């Protein structure tokens, strides 16, 4: 039996870390990729030898619908083109769980499929929501996947002041894919993956 974290302690620490990222001054970030509706920035991570990415864009929907599509659950698999499976391993309470998910290969399979086991927590933030996560050192591994590790990451979603039917979605992602991959390949893939995430999410919400 895996030893599960103290959910309340981990959730509080995780939320505080994400709020700290959300208050990092603009001049500390460098633009990694910019599209019409979405900008991706990056800065060196303090958690590992890679980057903390920040993504921001406006989504045409209300906060609850957006976060329901992002947090662990059946919605996520329907639209997230990178995710190939998602299982909830443990429920703590309605907004708190441990999930295992797998991702497809990327960059013409230079980055092979990955598996992650994450603690996930969704909580109110200002007039919106924060859905955040961090990987756990889960001992049960599947040989066909490289086990990746998500350092503290999450999505802030708040309604636009002038139009509450549209929302500002801001994400912080720092994923250690592990395995034998050049860091530059990871960084290239990450910026493109985040741009695609916004496009796929918007399309899914328009269909819903």
């Amino acid at each position: 039996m895996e030893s599960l974290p103290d959910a309340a302690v981990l959730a509080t620490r995780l939320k505080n870390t994400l709020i700290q990222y959300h208050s990092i001054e603009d001049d500390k970030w460098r633009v990694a990729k910019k599209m019409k509706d979405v900008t991706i920035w990056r800065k060196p991570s303090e958690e590992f030898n890679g980057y903390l990415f920040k993504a921001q864009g406006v989504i045409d929907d209300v906060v609850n619908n957006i976060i329901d599509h992002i947090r662990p659950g059946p919605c996520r698999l329907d639209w997230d083109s990178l995710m190939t499976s998602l299982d909830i391993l443990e429920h703590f309470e309605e907004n708190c769980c441990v999930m295992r998910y797998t991702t497809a290969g990327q960059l013409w399979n230079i980055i092979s499929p990955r598996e992650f086991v994450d603690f996930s927590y969704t909580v109110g933030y200002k007039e919106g929501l924060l859905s955040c996560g961090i990987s756990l050192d889960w001992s049960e591994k599947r040989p066909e996947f490289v086990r990746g590790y998500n350092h503290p990451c999450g999505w802030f979603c708040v309604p636009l002041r002038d139009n509450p039917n549209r929302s500002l979605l801001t994400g912080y992602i720092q994923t250690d894919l592990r395995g034998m991959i050049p860091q530059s390949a990871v960084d290239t893939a990450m910026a493109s993956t985040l741009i695609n995430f916004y496009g796929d999410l918007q399309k899914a919400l328009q269909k819903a």
Side-chain angles (χ1 to χ4, degrees):
M1 181 68 194
E2 301 281 350
S3 62
L4 291 164
D6 181 324
V9 171
L10 187 52
T12 302
R13 195 185 316 143
L14 186 56
K15 179 183 81 170
N16 290 342
T17 300
L18 265 298
I19 288 170
Q20 185 189 329
Y21 293 161
H22 207 38
S23 62
I24 294 172
E25 288 145 9
D26 289 349
D27 62 3
K28 298 282 192 290
W29 299 98
R30 209 178 92 211
V31 173
K33 194 156 185 159
K34 196 174 170 75
M35 301 293 274
K36 186 167 65 99
D37 301 321
V38 185
T39 305
I40 313 298
W41 298 265
R42 70 183 197 188
K43 70 181 284 300
S45 170
E46 292 177 9
E47 300 283 344
F48 78 119
N49 184 29
Y51 287 100
L52 169 63
F53 284 86
K54 174 182 178 179
Q56 190 168 74
V58 172
I59 300 281
D60 290 323
D61 212 327
V62 296
V63 167
N64 282 0
N65 284 352
I66 294 168
I67 291 296
D68 276 346
H69 276 68
I70 291 176
R71 64 177 165 192
C75 275
R76 182 70 183 261
L77 263 184
D78 283 346
W79 66 268
D80 190 335
S81 55
L82 195 59
M83 206 174 263
T84 51
S85 73
L86 189 157
D87 300 297
I88 306 292
L89 302 179
E90 189 77 31
H91 261 297
F92 295 104
E93 46 195 273
E94 194 186 339
N95 62 343
C96 213
C97 69
V98 174
M99 65 167 175
R100 175 168 55 202
Y101 69 93
T102 54
T103 58
Q106 298 174 72
L107 287 185
W108 305 282
N109 237 28
I110 292 169
I111 300 174
S112 62
R114 292 296 194 267
E115 175 187 65
F116 297 85
V117 177
D118 284 11
F119 173 81
S120 173
Y121 176 54
T122 302
V123 64
Y125 173 78
K126 296 193 172 170
E127 56 282 4
L129 289 167
L130 162 63
S131 184
C132 49
I134 186 171
S135 285
L136 302 174
D137 289 316
W138 201 258
S139 58
E140 181 206 330
K141 288 188 170 77
R142 293 186 281 189
E144 65 271 33
F145 293 101
V146 175
R147 173 67 61 80
Y149 192 93
N150 285 313
H151 294 278
C153 56
W155 296 92
F156 290 87
C157 192
V158 293
L160 292 186
R161 288 212 176 106
D162 56 351
N163 184 353
N165 292 321
R166 303 179 80 210
S167 305
L168 183 67
L169 182 65
T170 308
Y172 297 90
I173 307 293
Q174 47 188 342
T175 300
D176 186 352
L177 289 173
R178 297 180 171 169
M180 308 296 286
I181 319 168
Q183 190 60 43
S184 58
V186 175
D187 298 337
T188 302
M190 193 59 74
S192 298
T193 296
L194 286 167
I195 293 277
N196 292 341
F197 181 94
Y198 277 79
D200 290 349
L201 175 59
Q202 185 66 75
K203 279 184 211 145
L205 287 161
Q206 280 163 353
K207 281 187 205 158

